[in-house]
Amino acid sequence: MRFPPTTSTPPRSLTPRSRRRATALAGVSALVTSLFLLAPTGQAAADPLPGGGDLGPNVKVFDPSTPDIQGQVDDIFKKQESAQFGDGRYALLFKPGTYDNINAQLGFYTSIAGLGLNPDDTTFNGDVTVDAGWFDGNATQNFWRSAENLALNPVSGTDRWAVSQAAPFRRMHVKGGLNLAPDGYGWASGGYIADSKIDGTVSPYSQQQWYTRDSSVGGWSNGVWNMVFSGVEGAPAQGFPDPPYTTLDTTPVSREKPFLYLDGDDYKVFVPAKRTNARGVSWDSGTPQGESLSLDQFYVVKPGASAETINAAVEQGLHLLFTPGVYHVDQTIDIDRADTVVLGLGMATIIPDNGVTALRVGDVDGVKLAGLLVDAGTTNSDSLVEVGTEGANADHADNPTSLQDVFIRVGGAGPGKATNGMVINSDDTIIDHTWIWRADHGDGVGWETNRSDYGLTVNGNDVLATGLFVEHFNKYDVQWNGERGRTIFFQNEKAYDAPNQAAIQNGDQKGYAAYKVADSVENHEGWGLGSYCYYNVDPSIQQGHGFEAPVKAGVKFHDLLVVSLGGQGQYDHVINDTGAPTSGTDTVPSTVVSWP
């Protein structure tokens, strides 16, 4: 919960490396077939896993002639509206065409997307709506849902997308305005927009913070604490702290999320190309840059699939498409093949059952992880997601691994533990929109019950985070050990449930910083970073600072803030010993515009 602000043949599309690998795999396959034919009677070789197939029962596909679309969408919303920690997972997919009089309300674990190559291929004369009636007009728990690849002509002229964390709005074209607050302008704690055009004005109203990347807006009405823009046409001018706008002309490196689409009657996955110094959307000038992969190049993962089977599919040379569902794994899912795509639909959720790391990527080029929720199991995992092996040092600048809408949760749906949420060892990795969350509410919540010391640990060099949300970890929420790291937008809350000052003490420091840059680092830079405290168990707790970094010429921060939510605990400083302390109960940020 958030405290309120006071202000309202191998396919030709494969790379040469992948073609060589595919050719080698074909040779291996032929050898295995020969050995099977020569095997004595009674011995059997494993059959190859099939690529492609149907998308399972939790993917609902519509076309303009589908009867009672509104009724079907409403039925799913009724199931999911308040099912914050339920098992339901749904993807609502709309074939290209025009849909009249649609209001698709989205609840938890529901994703909606068009199936065109371009957002304008699938048009709603209607709305995609997120509101907060289920929580008395409070949108601060509107998590885990998404909208993607649609054009909207909102009925009232303005669409409502009143969300908080883990609710991306990607590749959308809103032919009108966009309201980011719930009906009644209650509290909200978002949020993220990327690769989208909003022809009218975006109105945050009560939204505490927001990040918008590589998009176009017709206007932006206001800000509360921290509004960050990179590569956004029409973004407001730099103004932090009043108004609280941090504006970068371009995004240094970005790659849009892979997405499912229809090419005629055939499903394919489009994998957008990496962009440098991007500004504006990727799709406005015709066919976007990237490659298409046919669905038969994917193992379509359905609930009940084992980690052993999933790993066999990867070893066989297939990509992975997780259909909506909850997947328990008793061994690590290992992605050790360059350019592998792992795409989840409908907030597909992976839970490690016996203390393993749920998902690990090797130190290889160009892996794309997207659209997944990783939920800690009851046995402590050392980490939940790892990219690269310890000590990795290969150069991936030309073809980095990217993580987009990869979310991590420890507790909330039940007791869960993990020492580390996400560990990035590979150089040049792009982290594009993640929420790494140690639960502050729900089931299995307590200082030791859902213990998790570190949210994000970055050991790789030249790692970029765009849209980084990390909250409530027992020690450092972010610890950054690699060189030349960059973060554009950071949102954090310190753990609510610290029992007393001693529990958070870090040697002679009052508490662990929300964002710690290692003393050994020579170069690091961040823009638009905020940390909030709400120590509601012991409001007398003092947090020494929100940010900690070595004082070196190459370590720079722009537009930092800390906030005491309702006076439940206080910060002494913003970064190191710089910045005024917070005080009282008025939730007024203490800010630092430039450091050092």
Side-chain angles (χ1 to χ4, degrees), residues 307 326-333 349-359 373-385 409 415-418 420:
V326 178
Y327 299 84
H328 288 262
V329 297
D330 60 0
Q331 59 182 261
T332 299
I333 297 172
T349 302
I350 302 172
I351 303 174
D353 281 338
N354 54 354
V356 300
T357 294
L359 187 61
L373 169 60
V374 178
D375 200 355
T378 55
T379 301
N380 185 73
S381 294
D382 182 66
S383 62
L384 294 174
V385 174
R409 180 172 70 195
K417 292 186 177 183
N420 298 275

Side-chain angles (χ1 to χ4, degrees), residues 183-351:
D183 186 30
Y185 305 101
W187 318 329
S189 184
Y192 176 91
I193 293 171
D195 202 26
S196 294
K197 289 182 68 176
I198 292 83
D199 295 345
T201 298
V202 180
S203 300
Y205 296 111
S206 55
Q207 277 286 353
Q208 296 169 355
Q209 66 280 315
W210 200 277
Y211 175 56
T212 307
R213 177 182 62 72
D214 299 352
S215 293
S216 172
V217 299
W220 193 275
S221 69
N222 73 293
V224 175
W225 291 333
N226 188 30
M227 302 290 169
V228 180
F229 310 83
S230 67
V232 178
E233 297 170 343
Q238 172 72 30
F240 188 90
D242 185 21
Y245 300 147
T246 298
T247 303
L248 286 72
D249 285 343
T250 61
T251 304
V253 183
S254 55
R255 178 194 282 142
E256 300 306 332
K257 175 178 171 286
F259 61 92
L260 189 68
Y261 78 103
L262 276 172
D263 183 1
D265 294 328
D266 297 326
Y267 284 108
K268 295 183 177 180
V269 172
F270 189 78
V271 184
K274 184 189 77 171
R275 299 204 289 169
T276 56
N277 298 317
R279 181 174 174 82
V281 299
S282 68
W283 46 266
D284 201 27
S285 300
T287 302
Q289 297 297 304
E291 67 172 335
S292 290
L293 303 174
S294 63
L295 191 62
D296 62 12
Q297 294 175 261
F298 285 77
Y299 177 60
V300 179
V301 190
K302 297 174 185 174
S306 68
E308 182 180 18
T309 300
I310 294 167
N311 282 332
V314 176
E315 291 169 6
Q316 186 179 306
L318 295 171
H319 304 280
L320 299 176
L321 181 71
F322 281 84
T323 64
V326 178
Y327 299 84
H328 288 262
V329 297
D330 60 0
Q331 59 182 261
T332 299
I333 297 172
D334 277 309
I335 311 297
D336 202 23
R337 190 183 75 245
D339 299 311
T340 302
V341 176
V342 181
L343 175 61
L345 303 178
M347 299 289 162
T349 302
I350 302 172
I351 303 174

Side-chain angles (χ1 to χ4, degrees), residues 90-94 104 106 110-114 124 128 146-150:
Y90 294 94
L92 311 179
L93 305 182
F94 288 79
L106 300 187
T110 305
S111 297
I112 191 169
F124 280 15
V128 171
S146 66
E148 184 174 349
N149 205 29
L150 292 165

Side-chain angles (χ1 to χ4, degrees), residues 527-549:
W527 296 262
L529 285 71
S531 177
Y532 320 142
C533 72
Y534 185 67
Y535 290 118
N536 60 343
V537 175
D538 181 0
S540 70
I541 288 176
Q542 292 290 125
Q543 178 74 30
H545 43 234
F547 303 89
E548 183 179 342

Side-chain angles (χ1 to χ4, degrees), residues 436-456:
I436 304 172
W437 186 62
R438 176 181 168 267
D440 62 276
H441 63 273
D443 293 331
V445 171
W447 185 248
E448 296 296 341
T449 305
N450 62 327
R451 180 88 194 186
S452 192
D453 285 348
Y454 309 107
L456 171 67

